Amino acid sequence: MLKKIFDAIRGRSGRRQPEKNVMDGVERVVRRKCPNLLLTHKNKHQLMDGVNAAMRHFSGLIDQIPGPVELDPNQWNADPVLNAMFVDSNEIRETLQSSKPLVRFFKRPGETEAVALLTAAWHEKTVFGTAKDGEIVRRGVRQRAISFADHKLLVPASDLSKAKSALLQEALVFMCGQTFGETQDLKQWQAELEKQRDLLTFKIQPSHGRASDEEYIEEKRVLDDINQKIRSIKNNLGTSESNFNFMLRLLSNPQDMLKFKLAFLRLSRLGIVLNNASDSMANEFKLARYEIPNLTARGAIWVRVRRETMGS
C-alpha cells in the first residue's frame, strides 16, 4: 500500500493529518486509474520528494487566496465582490442551493456556518462604450470587460484552516489525476496517427496510381515517420515507468500545471475595467486568478456561508 511505503520513507508510523489525507488521495487515484502501477524501492523516494514539492507550492498559493467574505444574497447590492461576480441576488441563491458539497456539509449535526472556496469562470472581452476624458465624453472607446459564470463552492469546512487543508488535498489528487489524463491524450494521438497511416497506405498502393515517383517517395517517407511515432507511443503508453514519470514530472513542477496570480480589480457595475484615474463608481476587490492548461481561467475567493442563508 502506498501509505505504508510513505510511512517507511518518513521513518515513523504516524503522519500529520494533511499529509495522510494527501497520500490516501494519491493512493485512491492510482488504484482506480492504474491498478498495475507499482512503486519500486528506487523511485519511491523521488515520488515523495515530488509530493512534498507540490505541497509546498500549493500551500503558498492557497495562503494568497483572499477572503473570506460573507456569501449572502441580501448583500449583493452592498458587497463589491458579490456585485461583481454575480448577476443578481438570485444567482447567489442558485449557487448556494445547487452546491452539493455545501448541502452535504450542512446536513451534519451542529454545523451552522461554513467556509468554502468560491470559484467562477473568468471571461474577458473587448467592448466599445463611452468614457470621460476630462470634461469631454468620448464614444466608441475600446474597453475591457470582465464577467464571471459557472460558480462553484468547493471544500466547505467549519473554519478556514480546515478548508485550506481540504483544498490542498484536492489540488494534489488533481495533479496525480493529470498523469492519467496525459496518458489518455497519447491514446487519442495514437488513434489519429493510425487513421492517417491507413489512409496513406491505401493511397500509395500501385493500383490507385500516383502522379510521379517523387510523390511516391515523399508519401512513403511520411508513412514511415507516422509508423515510427506509433511505435514510440506503443513502447511507452500505459507502462508503469511511463505513468510514474508523468506523475513525477507534474508533481515536481506544479507551476507548469497551474498558473496563479493575485489580481486587484476595479470594475464598473457593468464589469468594465476602470483605471485609477476614473471617478466612476467602482467595485474594488482582490481575487485570485488561476489557469490550468486547456481549461478556462477561473477566479477564486474564500467565502463564509451561514446555514440560514441556504434557504433565504
Coordinates of all heavy atoms in Angstrom, one line a residue, residues 156-245:
P156 N -16.1 22.9 1.5 CA -16.7 23.5 2.7 C -16.2 22.9 4.0 O -16.0 21.7 4.1 CB -18.2 23.3 2.6 CG -18.3 22.1 1.7 CD -17.2 22.2 0.7
A157 N -15.9 23.7 5.0 CA -15.4 23.2 6.3 C -15.9 24.2 7.4 O -16.4 25.3 7.1 CB -13.9 23.1 6.3
S158 N -15.6 23.8 8.6 CA -16.1 24.6 9.7 C -15.3 25.8 10.0 O -15.7 26.8 10.6 CB -16.2 23.7 11.0 OG -14.9 23.1 11.3
D159 N -14.0 25.8 9.5 CA -13.2 27.0 9.6 C -12.2 27.1 8.4 O -12.1 26.2 7.6 CB -12.5 27.1 10.9 CG -11.5 25.9 11.2 OD1 -10.7 25.6 10.3 OD2 -11.6 25.3 12.2
L160 N -11.5 28.2 8.3 CA -10.7 28.5 7.2 C -9.5 27.5 7.1 O -9.1 27.0 6.1 CB -10.1 29.9 7.2 CG -9.3 30.4 6.0 CD1 -10.0 30.2 4.7 CD2 -8.8 31.8 6.2
S161 N -8.9 27.2 8.3 CA -7.8 26.3 8.3 C -8.1 24.9 7.8 O -7.4 24.3 7.0 CB -7.3 26.2 9.8 OG -6.2 25.2 9.8
K162 N -9.3 24.4 8.2 CA -9.7 23.1 7.7 C -10.0 23.1 6.2 O -9.8 22.2 5.4 CB -10.9 22.6 8.5 CG -10.6 22.3 9.9 CD -11.9 21.8 10.7 CE -11.5 21.5 12.1 NZ -12.8 21.2 12.9
A163 N -10.6 24.2 5.7 CA -10.9 24.4 4.3 C -9.6 24.4 3.5 O -9.5 23.8 2.4 CB -11.7 25.6 4.1
K164 N -8.6 25.1 4.0 CA -7.3 25.1 3.3 C -6.7 23.8 3.2 O -6.1 23.4 2.1 CB -6.4 26.1 4.0 CG -6.7 27.6 3.8 CD -5.7 28.5 4.4 CE -5.9 29.9 4.2 NZ -4.9 30.8 4.8
S165 N -6.8 23.0 4.3 CA -6.2 21.6 4.3 C -6.9 20.8 3.2 O -6.3 20.0 2.5 CB -6.3 21.0 5.6 OG -5.5 21.7 6.6
A166 N -8.3 20.9 3.2 CA -9.0 20.1 2.2 C -8.7 20.5 0.8 O -8.6 19.7 -0.1 CB -10.5 20.3 2.5
L167 N -8.5 21.8 0.5 CA -8.2 22.3 -0.8 C -6.8 21.8 -1.2 O -6.6 21.4 -2.4 CB -8.2 23.8 -0.9 CG -7.9 24.4 -2.2 CD1 -8.9 23.9 -3.3 CD2 -7.9 26.0 -2.1
L168 N -5.8 21.8 -0.3 CA -4.5 21.2 -0.6 C -4.6 19.8 -1.0 O -3.9 19.4 -2.0 CB -3.6 21.4 0.7 CG -2.2 20.8 0.5 CD1 -1.4 21.5 -0.6 CD2 -1.4 20.9 1.9
Q169 N -5.4 19.0 -0.3 CA -5.6 17.6 -0.6 C -6.1 17.4 -2.1 O -5.6 16.7 -2.9 CB -6.5 16.9 0.4 CG -6.8 15.4 0.0 CD -7.8 14.8 0.9 OE1 -8.1 15.4 1.9 NE2 -8.4 13.7 0.5
E170 N -7.2 18.2 -2.4 CA -7.8 18.1 -3.7 C -6.8 18.5 -4.8 O -6.8 17.9 -5.9 CB -9.1 18.9 -3.7 CG -10.2 18.4 -2.9 CD -11.6 18.8 -3.4 OE1 -11.6 19.5 -4.4 OE2 -12.6 18.4 -2.8
A171 N -6.0 19.5 -4.5 CA -5.1 20.0 -5.5 C -4.1 18.9 -5.9 O -3.7 18.7 -7.0 CB -4.4 21.3 -5.0
L172 N -3.6 18.2 -4.8 CA -2.6 17.2 -5.1 C -3.2 16.0 -5.8 O -2.5 15.4 -6.7 CB -1.9 16.8 -3.7 CG -0.6 17.5 -3.3 CD1 0.5 17.1 -4.2 CD2 -0.8 19.0 -3.2
V173 N -4.4 15.6 -5.4 CA -5.0 14.5 -6.0 C -5.3 14.8 -7.5 O -5.2 14.0 -8.4 CB -6.3 14.1 -5.3 CG1 -7.1 13.1 -6.1 CG2 -6.0 13.6 -3.9
F174 N -5.7 16.1 -7.8 CA -5.9 16.5 -9.1 C -4.6 16.4 -9.9 O -4.7 15.9 -11.1 CB -6.4 18.0 -9.2 CG -6.5 18.6 -10.5 CD1 -7.5 18.3 -11.4 CD2 -5.4 19.4 -11.0 CE1 -7.6 18.8 -12.7 CE2 -5.5 19.9 -12.3 CZ -6.5 19.6 -13.1
M175 N -3.5 16.8 -9.4 CA -2.2 16.7 -10.1 C -1.9 15.3 -10.5 O -1.5 15.0 -11.6 CB -1.1 17.3 -9.2 CG -1.1 18.8 -9.0 SD -0.5 19.6 -10.5 CE 1.3 19.2 -10.4
C176 N -2.2 14.4 -9.5 CA -1.9 13.0 -9.8 C -2.9 12.4 -10.9 O -2.5 11.6 -11.8 CB -2.0 12.1 -8.6 SG -0.8 12.4 -7.3
G177 N -4.1 12.9 -10.9 CA -5.0 12.5 -11.9 C -4.6 13.0 -13.3 O -5.0 12.3 -14.3
Q178 N -3.9 14.1 -13.4 CA -3.4 14.5 -14.7 C -2.4 13.6 -15.3 O -2.3 13.5 -16.5 CB -2.7 15.9 -14.5 CG -3.6 17.0 -14.1 CD -4.9 17.1 -15.0 OE1 -4.8 17.4 -16.1 NE2 -6.0 16.7 -14.4
T179 N -1.8 12.7 -14.5 CA -0.9 11.7 -15.1 C -1.7 10.8 -16.1 O -1.3 10.6 -17.2 CB -0.4 10.8 -13.9 OG1 0.4 11.5 -13.0 CG2 0.4 9.6 -14.5
F180 N -2.9 10.4 -15.7 CA -3.7 9.5 -16.5 C -4.4 10.3 -17.6 O -4.8 9.7 -18.6 CB -4.6 8.7 -15.6 CG -3.9 8.1 -14.5 CD1 -3.8 8.6 -13.2 CD2 -3.2 6.9 -14.7 CE1 -3.1 8.0 -12.2 CE2 -2.5 6.3 -13.7 CZ -2.4 6.8 -12.5
G181 N -4.7 11.6 -17.4 CA -5.2 12.4 -18.4 C -4.3 12.5 -19.6 O -4.6 12.5 -20.7
E182 N -3.0 12.7 -19.2 CA -2.0 12.8 -20.3 C -1.8 11.5 -21.0 O -1.6 11.5 -22.2 CB -0.6 13.2 -19.6 CG 0.4 13.7 -20.7 CD 1.5 14.5 -20.0 OE1 1.4 14.9 -18.9 OE2 2.6 14.6 -20.7
T183 N -1.9 10.4 -20.3 CA -1.9 9.1 -20.9 C -3.1 9.0 -21.9 O -2.9 8.4 -23.1 CB -2.0 8.0 -19.9 OG1 -0.9 8.1 -19.0 CG2 -2.0 6.6 -20.5
Q184 N -4.3 9.5 -21.6 CA -5.4 9.4 -22.5 C -5.1 10.3 -23.7 O -5.5 9.9 -24.8 CB -6.7 9.9 -21.7 CG -7.9 9.9 -22.6 CD -8.3 8.4 -23.0 OE1 -8.0 7.5 -22.2 NE2 -8.8 8.3 -24.1
D185 N -4.4 11.4 -23.6 CA -4.1 12.2 -24.7 C -3.2 11.5 -25.7 O -3.4 11.6 -26.9 CB -3.4 13.5 -24.2 CG -4.3 14.5 -23.5 OD1 -5.5 14.3 -23.7 OD2 -3.8 15.3 -22.8
L186 N -2.3 10.7 -25.1 CA -1.4 9.9 -26.0 C -2.2 8.8 -26.8 O -2.0 8.6 -27.9 CB -0.3 9.2 -25.2 CG 0.9 10.0 -24.7 CD1 1.8 9.2 -23.8 CD2 1.6 10.6 -25.9
K187 N -3.2 8.2 -26.1 CA -4.1 7.2 -26.8 C -4.8 7.9 -27.9 O -5.0 7.3 -29.0 CB -5.0 6.6 -25.8 CG -4.4 5.7 -24.7 CD -5.4 5.1 -23.8 CE -4.8 4.2 -22.8 NZ -5.7 3.7 -21.8
Q188 N -5.3 9.1 -27.7 CA -6.1 9.8 -28.8 C -5.1 10.1 -29.9 O -5.5 10.0 -31.1 CB -6.7 11.0 -28.2 CG -7.8 10.7 -27.2 CD -8.4 12.0 -26.5 OE1 -7.9 13.1 -26.7 NE2 -9.4 11.8 -25.7
W189 N -3.9 10.5 -29.6 CA -2.9 10.9 -30.6 C -2.6 9.6 -31.4 O -2.5 9.6 -32.7 CB -1.7 11.5 -30.0 CG -0.7 11.9 -31.0 CD1 -0.9 12.4 -32.3 CD2 0.7 12.0 -30.9 NE1 0.2 12.8 -32.9 CE2 1.3 12.5 -32.1 CE3 1.6 11.7 -29.8 CZ2 2.6 12.7 -32.3 CZ3 3.0 11.9 -30.0 CH2 3.5 12.4 -31.2
Q190 N -2.4 8.5 -30.7 CA -2.2 7.2 -31.4 C -3.3 6.9 -32.4 O -3.0 6.5 -33.5 CB -2.0 6.1 -30.4 CG -1.7 4.7 -31.1 CD -1.7 3.6 -30.0 OE1 -1.5 3.8 -28.8 NE2 -1.8 2.4 -30.5
A191 N -4.5 7.0 -32.0 CA -5.7 6.7 -32.8 C -5.7 7.6 -34.1 O -6.0 7.1 -35.2 CB -7.0 6.8 -32.0
E192 N -5.4 8.9 -33.9 CA -5.4 9.8 -35.0 C -4.2 9.4 -36.0 O -4.4 9.4 -37.2 CB -5.2 11.2 -34.5 CG -5.1 12.3 -35.6 CD -6.4 12.3 -36.4 OE1 -7.5 12.0 -35.9 OE2 -6.3 12.6 -37.7
L193 N -3.1 9.1 -35.5 CA -2.0 8.7 -36.3 C -2.3 7.4 -37.1 O -1.9 7.2 -38.3 CB -0.7 8.4 -35.5 CG 0.0 9.7 -35.0 CD1 1.1 9.3 -34.0 CD2 0.5 10.6 -36.1
E194 N -3.0 6.5 -36.5 CA -3.3 5.2 -37.1 C -4.3 5.5 -38.3 O -4.3 4.8 -39.3 CB -3.9 4.2 -36.1 CG -2.9 3.7 -35.2 CD -3.4 2.8 -34.0 OE1 -4.7 2.9 -33.8 OE2 -2.7 2.1 -33.4
K195 N -5.2 6.4 -38.1 CA -6.1 6.8 -39.2 C -5.3 7.4 -40.4 O -5.6 7.0 -41.5 CB -7.2 7.8 -38.7 CG -8.2 7.3 -37.8 CD -9.2 8.4 -37.4 CE -10.2 7.9 -36.4 NZ -11.1 9.0 -36.0
Q196 N -4.4 8.3 -40.1 CA -3.6 8.8 -41.1 C -2.7 7.7 -41.8 O -2.6 7.8 -43.1 CB -2.6 9.9 -40.5 CG -3.3 11.1 -40.0 CD -2.4 12.1 -39.3 OE1 -1.2 12.1 -39.7 NE2 -2.8 12.9 -38.4
R197 N -2.2 6.8 -41.1 CA -1.4 5.7 -41.6 C -2.3 4.9 -42.6 O -1.9 4.6 -43.7 CB -0.9 4.8 -40.5 CG -0.1 3.6 -41.0 CD 0.0 2.6 -39.9 NE -1.4 2.1 -39.5 CZ -1.6 1.4 -38.4 NH1 -0.6 1.0 -37.6 NH2 -2.8 1.0 -38.1
D198 N -3.5 4.5 -42.2 CA -4.4 3.7 -43.0 C -4.7 4.4 -44.3 O -4.8 3.8 -45.4 CB -5.6 3.3 -42.2 CG -5.3 2.4 -41.0 OD1 -4.2 1.8 -41.0 OD2 -6.2 2.3 -40.1
L199 N -5.0 5.7 -44.2 CA -5.4 6.5 -45.4 C -4.2 6.6 -46.4 O -4.4 6.4 -47.6 CB -5.9 7.9 -45.1 CG -7.2 8.0 -44.4 CD1 -7.5 9.4 -43.9 CD2 -8.3 7.6 -45.4
L200 N -3.0 6.8 -45.8 CA -1.8 7.0 -46.7 C -1.4 5.6 -47.3 O -1.0 5.5 -48.5 CB -0.7 7.6 -45.9 CG 0.5 8.1 -46.7 CD1 0.0 9.1 -47.7 CD2 1.5 8.8 -45.7
T201 N -1.6 4.5 -46.5 CA -1.2 3.2 -47.0 C -2.1 2.9 -48.2 O -1.7 2.3 -49.2 CB -1.4 2.2 -45.9 OG1 -0.5 2.5 -44.8 CG2 -1.1 0.8 -46.4
F202 N -3.4 3.2 -48.1 CA -4.4 3.0 -49.2 C -4.0 3.8 -50.4 O -4.1 3.3 -51.5 CB -5.8 3.3 -48.7 CG -6.8 3.1 -49.7 CD1 -7.4 1.9 -50.1 CD2 -7.4 4.2 -50.4 CE1 -8.3 1.7 -51.0 CE2 -8.3 4.1 -51.4 CZ -8.8 2.8 -51.7
K203 N -3.6 5.0 -50.2 CA -3.3 6.0 -51.3 C -2.1 5.5 -52.1 O -2.1 5.7 -53.3 CB -3.1 7.4 -50.7 CG -2.9 8.4 -51.8 CD -2.7 9.8 -51.1 CE -2.4 10.8 -52.2 NZ -2.2 12.2 -51.6
I204 N -1.1 5.0 -51.5 CA 0.1 4.7 -52.2 C 0.2 3.3 -52.8 O 1.2 2.9 -53.4 CB 1.4 4.9 -51.3 CG1 1.4 3.9 -50.2 CG2 1.5 6.3 -50.8 CD1 2.7 3.9 -49.3
Q205 N -0.9 2.6 -52.7 CA -1.0 1.3 -53.4 C -0.9 1.5 -54.9 O -1.5 2.4 -55.4 CB -2.3 0.5 -53.0 CG -2.3 0.1 -51.6 CD -3.6 -0.6 -51.2 OE1 -4.5 -0.8 -52.1 NE2 -3.8 -1.1 -50.0
P206 N -0.1 0.6 -55.6 CA 0.1 0.8 -57.0 C -1.2 0.8 -57.8 O -1.3 1.5 -58.8 CB 0.9 -0.5 -57.4 CG 1.6 -0.8 -56.1 CD 0.7 -0.5 -55.0
S207 N -2.2 0.1 -57.3 CA -3.5 0.0 -58.1 C -4.2 1.4 -58.2 O -5.1 1.5 -59.0 CB -4.4 -1.0 -57.5 OG -4.7 -0.7 -56.1
H208 N -3.8 2.3 -57.3 CA -4.5 3.6 -57.3 C -3.7 4.7 -58.1 O -4.2 5.8 -58.2 CB -4.7 4.1 -55.8 CG -5.6 3.2 -55.0 ND1 -5.2 2.1 -54.3 CD2 -7.0 3.2 -55.0 CE1 -6.3 1.5 -53.7 NE2 -7.4 2.1 -54.2
G209 N -2.6 4.3 -58.5 CA -1.8 5.2 -59.3 C -1.2 6.4 -58.5 O -1.6 6.6 -57.4
R210 N -0.2 7.1 -59.1 CA 0.4 8.2 -58.5 C 0.9 9.2 -59.5 O 1.2 8.8 -60.6 CB 1.4 7.8 -57.5 CG 2.5 6.8 -58.0 CD 3.5 6.4 -56.9 NE 4.4 5.4 -57.4 CZ 4.1 4.1 -57.2 NH1 3.1 3.7 -56.5 NH2 5.0 3.2 -57.6
A211 N 1.1 10.4 -59.1 CA 1.5 11.4 -60.1 C 2.9 11.2 -60.6 O 3.2 11.4 -61.7 CB 1.3 12.8 -59.5
S212 N 3.8 10.8 -59.7 CA 5.2 10.7 -60.0 C 5.9 9.9 -59.0 O 5.4 9.6 -57.9 CB 5.9 12.1 -60.1 OG 5.9 12.7 -58.8
D213 N 7.2 9.5 -59.3 CA 8.0 8.7 -58.4 C 8.4 9.6 -57.2 O 8.4 9.1 -56.0 CB 9.2 8.2 -59.1 CG 8.9 7.1 -60.0 OD1 7.9 6.4 -59.9 OD2 9.8 6.8 -60.9
E214 N 8.6 10.9 -57.4 CA 8.9 11.8 -56.4 C 7.8 11.9 -55.3 O 8.0 11.9 -54.1 CB 9.2 13.2 -56.9 CG 10.5 13.3 -57.7 CD 10.4 12.8 -59.1 OE1 9.2 12.5 -59.5 OE2 11.4 12.7 -59.8
E215 N 6.6 11.9 -55.8 CA 5.4 12.0 -54.9 C 5.3 10.7 -54.1 O 5.1 10.7 -52.9 CB 4.1 12.2 -55.7 CG 2.9 12.3 -54.9 CD 1.6 12.5 -55.7 OE1 1.4 13.6 -56.2 OE2 0.8 11.5 -55.8
Y216 N 5.6 9.6 -54.7 CA 5.6 8.3 -54.0 C 6.6 8.3 -52.9 O 6.4 7.8 -51.8 CB 5.8 7.1 -55.0 CG 6.0 5.8 -54.3 CD1 4.9 5.1 -53.8 CD2 7.2 5.3 -54.1 CE1 5.0 3.9 -53.1 CE2 7.4 4.1 -53.5 CZ 6.3 3.4 -53.0 OH 6.5 2.2 -52.3
I217 N 7.8 8.7 -53.2 CA 8.9 8.7 -52.3 C 8.6 9.6 -51.1 O 8.8 9.2 -49.9 CB 10.2 9.2 -52.9 CG1 10.7 8.2 -54.0 CG2 11.3 9.5 -51.9 CD1 11.9 8.7 -54.8
E218 N 8.0 10.8 -51.3 CA 7.6 11.7 -50.2 C 6.5 11.1 -49.4 O 6.6 11.1 -48.1 CB 7.2 13.0 -50.8 CG 6.6 14.0 -49.7 CD 7.7 14.4 -48.7 OE1 8.9 14.2 -49.0 OE2 7.3 14.8 -47.6
E219 N 5.5 10.5 -50.0 CA 4.4 9.9 -49.2 C 4.9 8.7 -48.4 O 4.5 8.4 -47.3 CB 3.3 9.4 -50.2 CG 2.5 10.6 -50.8 CD 1.5 10.2 -51.8 OE1 1.6 9.1 -52.3 OE2 0.6 11.0 -52.2
K220 N 5.9 7.9 -49.0 CA 6.4 6.8 -48.3 C 7.2 7.2 -47.1 O 7.2 6.6 -46.0 CB 7.3 6.0 -49.2 CG 7.9 4.7 -48.6 CD 6.8 3.7 -48.4 CE 7.4 2.3 -48.1 NZ 8.2 2.3 -46.8
R221 N 7.9 8.4 -47.2 CA 8.7 8.9 -46.1 C 7.7 9.4 -45.0 O 8.0 9.1 -43.8 CB 9.5 10.1 -46.6 CG 10.4 10.7 -45.5 CD 10.9 12.1 -45.9 NE 9.8 13.1 -46.0 CZ 9.2 13.6 -44.9 NH1 9.6 13.3 -43.7 NH2 8.3 14.5 -45.1
V222 N 6.6 10.0 -45.3 CA 5.7 10.4 -44.3 C 5.1 9.2 -43.6 O 4.9 9.2 -42.4 CB 4.5 11.3 -45.0 CG1 3.4 11.6 -44.0 CG2 5.1 12.6 -45.5
L223 N 4.8 8.2 -44.4 CA 4.2 6.9 -43.8 C 5.2 6.3 -42.8 O 4.8 5.9 -41.7 CB 3.9 6.0 -44.9 CG 3.2 4.6 -44.5 CD1 1.9 4.9 -43.7 CD2 3.0 3.7 -45.7
D224 N 6.5 6.3 -43.2 CA 7.5 5.7 -42.3 C 7.6 6.5 -41.0 O 7.7 6.0 -39.9 CB 8.8 5.7 -43.0 CG 8.9 4.6 -44.1 OD1 8.0 3.7 -44.1 OD2 9.8 4.7 -45.0
D225 N 7.4 7.8 -41.1 CA 7.5 8.7 -40.0 C 6.3 8.5 -39.1 O 6.5 8.4 -37.8 CB 7.5 10.2 -40.4 CG 7.7 11.1 -39.2 OD1 8.6 11.0 -38.5 OD2 6.8 12.0 -39.1
I226 N 5.1 8.3 -39.6 CA 3.9 8.0 -38.8 C 4.1 6.7 -38.1 O 3.8 6.6 -36.9 CB 2.7 8.0 -39.7 CG1 2.4 9.4 -40.2 CG2 1.5 7.4 -39.0 CD1 1.2 9.5 -41.2
N227 N 4.6 5.7 -38.8 CA 4.7 4.4 -38.2 C 5.7 4.4 -37.0 O 5.6 3.8 -36.0 CB 5.2 3.3 -39.2 CG 4.0 2.8 -40.1 OD1 2.9 2.7 -39.6 ND2 4.3 2.6 -41.3
Q228 N 6.8 5.2 -37.2 CA 7.8 5.4 -36.1 C 7.1 6.0 -34.9 O 7.4 5.6 -33.7 CB 8.9 6.2 -36.6 CG 10.0 6.5 -35.6 CD 10.6 5.3 -35.0 OE1 10.8 4.3 -35.7 NE2 10.9 5.3 -33.7
K229 N 6.3 7.0 -35.1 CA 5.6 7.7 -34.0 C 4.7 6.8 -33.2 O 4.6 6.7 -32.0 CB 4.9 8.9 -34.5 CG 5.8 10.1 -34.9 CD 4.9 11.2 -35.4 CE 5.8 12.4 -35.9 NZ 5.1 13.5 -36.5
I230 N 4.0 5.9 -34.0 CA 3.0 5.0 -33.4 C 3.8 4.0 -32.6 O 3.4 3.6 -31.5 CB 2.2 4.2 -34.5 CG1 1.2 5.2 -35.2 CG2 1.4 3.1 -33.9 CD1 0.5 4.7 -36.4
R231 N 5.0 3.5 -33.1 CA 5.8 2.5 -32.3 C 6.3 3.2 -31.0 O 6.3 2.5 -30.0 CB 6.9 2.0 -33.2 CG 6.6 1.0 -34.2 CD 7.8 0.4 -34.8 NE 8.6 1.3 -35.5 CZ 8.5 1.6 -36.9 NH1 7.6 1.0 -37.6 NH2 9.3 2.4 -37.4
S232 N 6.7 4.4 -31.1 CA 7.2 5.1 -29.9 C 6.1 5.2 -28.9 O 6.3 5.0 -27.7 CB 7.7 6.5 -30.3 OG 8.1 7.2 -29.2
I233 N 4.9 5.6 -29.3 CA 3.8 5.7 -28.3 C 3.5 4.3 -27.7 O 3.3 4.2 -26.5 CB 2.5 6.2 -29.0 CG1 2.7 7.7 -29.4 CG2 1.3 6.1 -28.1 CD1 1.6 8.3 -30.2
K234 N 3.4 3.3 -28.5 CA 3.1 1.9 -28.0 C 4.2 1.4 -27.0 O 3.9 0.7 -26.1 CB 3.0 0.9 -29.2 CG 1.7 1.1 -30.0 CD 1.7 0.0 -31.1 CE 0.3 0.1 -31.8 NZ 0.3 -0.9 -32.9
N235 N 5.5 1.8 -27.3 CA 6.5 1.4 -26.4 C 6.4 2.0 -25.0 O 7.0 1.5 -24.0 CB 7.9 1.8 -27.0 CG 8.2 0.9 -28.2 OD1 7.7 -0.2 -28.3 ND2 9.1 1.4 -29.0
N236 N 5.8 3.2 -24.9 CA 5.7 3.9 -23.6 C 4.3 3.9 -23.0 O 4.2 4.1 -21.8 CB 6.3 5.3 -23.8 CG 7.7 5.3 -24.1 OD1 8.6 5.1 -23.2 ND2 8.1 5.5 -25.3
L237 N 3.3 3.8 -23.8 CA 2.0 4.1 -23.3 C 1.5 3.0 -22.4 O 1.6 1.8 -22.6 CB 1.0 4.1 -24.5 CG -0.5 4.5 -24.2 CD1 -0.5 5.9 -23.7 CD2 -1.3 4.4 -25.5
G238 N 1.1 3.5 -21.2 CA 0.5 2.6 -20.2 C 1.4 1.7 -19.4 O 1.0 0.9 -18.6
T239 N 2.8 1.9 -19.6 CA 3.7 1.2 -18.8 C 3.8 1.8 -17.4 O 3.6 3.0 -17.2 CB 5.1 1.1 -19.5 OG1 5.6 2.5 -19.5 CG2 5.0 0.6 -20.9
S240 N 4.2 1.0 -16.5 CA 4.4 1.5 -15.1 C 5.4 2.7 -15.1 O 5.2 3.7 -14.4 CB 4.9 0.4 -14.2 OG 3.9 -0.6 -14.0
E241 N 6.5 2.5 -15.8 CA 7.5 3.5 -15.9 C 7.0 4.8 -16.4 O 7.3 5.9 -15.9 CB 8.7 3.0 -16.6 CG 9.9 4.0 -16.7 CD 11.1 3.5 -17.4 OE1 11.0 2.3 -17.9 OE2 12.1 4.2 -17.5
S242 N 6.3 4.8 -17.6 CA 5.8 6.0 -18.2 C 4.8 6.7 -17.3 O 4.8 7.9 -17.2 CB 5.2 5.7 -19.6 OG 4.0 4.9 -19.4
N243 N 3.9 6.0 -16.7 CA 2.9 6.6 -15.8 C 3.6 7.2 -14.6 O 3.2 8.3 -14.1 CB 1.9 5.5 -15.3 CG 0.9 5.2 -16.3 OD1 0.6 6.0 -17.2 ND2 0.4 3.9 -16.3
F244 N 4.6 6.6 -14.0 CA 5.4 7.1 -12.9 C 6.1 8.4 -13.3 O 6.1 9.4 -12.6 CB 6.4 6.1 -12.4 CG 7.3 6.7 -11.4 CD1 6.9 6.9 -10.1 CD2 8.6 7.1 -11.7 CE1 7.7 7.5 -9.1 CE2 9.4 7.7 -10.8 CZ 9.0 7.8 -9.5
N245 N 6.7 8.4 -14.5 CA 7.4 9.6 -15.0 C 6.5 10.7 -15.2 O 6.8 11.9 -14.9 CB 8.2 9.2 -16.2 CG 9.4 8.4 -16.0 OD1 9.9 8.4 -14.9 ND2 9.8 7.6 -17.0

